[in-house]
Amino acid sequence: SVNIPSTVNINKVSYRVTAVNAKVFANNTKVKKIVIPANVTSIGSKAFYNCKKVTSVTIKSTKLTTKNVGSKAFTKLGASNYKKTKVKVPASKLKSYKSVLVKKGLSKKIKITK
């Protein structure tokens, strides 16, 4: 399970997590669940590339667009069984996120809900 924190503390200073770096979870064969917090404004290219076993993704951010989500960020995510994989997004972004996520590699076989 990967629960990206909304803040991290370094040397007693709290920082907001606003990005998921490129290739950070690429080819990870153990991740099954991903939660992306509301603070995240960008996702790097191939961030979740080929995470085949993922069955659940929750995106709390409302700030993702085709410009700030890298290419192939979601390519082959849930590839071991696309029909079991579900992506939950904010209700206000359901329509636009369906487009953004598919453009960035998410399989059309994966169900995207609010």
Side-chain angles (χ1 to χ4, degrees), residues 6-103:
S6 55
T7 60
V8 292
N9 292 312
I10 300 171
N11 296 329
K12 299 181 182 179
V13 179
S14 183
Y15 297 94
R16 289 177 49 174
V17 175
T18 59
V20 178
N21 283 348
K23 300 181 184 178
V24 71
F25 296 106
N27 300 308
N28 188 309
T29 58
K30 295 181 180 178
V31 174
K32 293 183 180 176
K33 181 179 178 184
I34 299 167
V35 179
I36 300 171
N39 293 345
V40 171
T41 58
S42 69
I43 297 175
S45 62
K46 294 188 177 182
F48 302 105
Y49 179 83
N50 203 28
C51 289
K52 294 180 184 179
K53 293 185 181 180
V54 172
T55 56
S56 171
V57 178
T58 303
I59 300 173
K60 296 179 179 178
S61 174
T62 58
K63 300 170 180 95
L64 301 176
T65 66
T66 55
K67 289 182 181 178
N68 61 22
V69 176
S71 66
K72 298 183 181 180
F74 296 97
T75 300
K76 295 186 182 179
L77 181 132
S80 65
N81 193 339
Y82 287 129
K83 291 185 179 182
K84 282 191 176 180
T85 304
K86 292 182 174 40
V87 176
K88 186 176 179 184
V89 300
S92 64
K93 292 292 185 174
L94 182 62
K95 188 176 180 179
S96 66
Y97 276 17
K98 280 184 178 182
S99 174
V100 170
L101 296 174
V102 169
K103 283 180 183 174

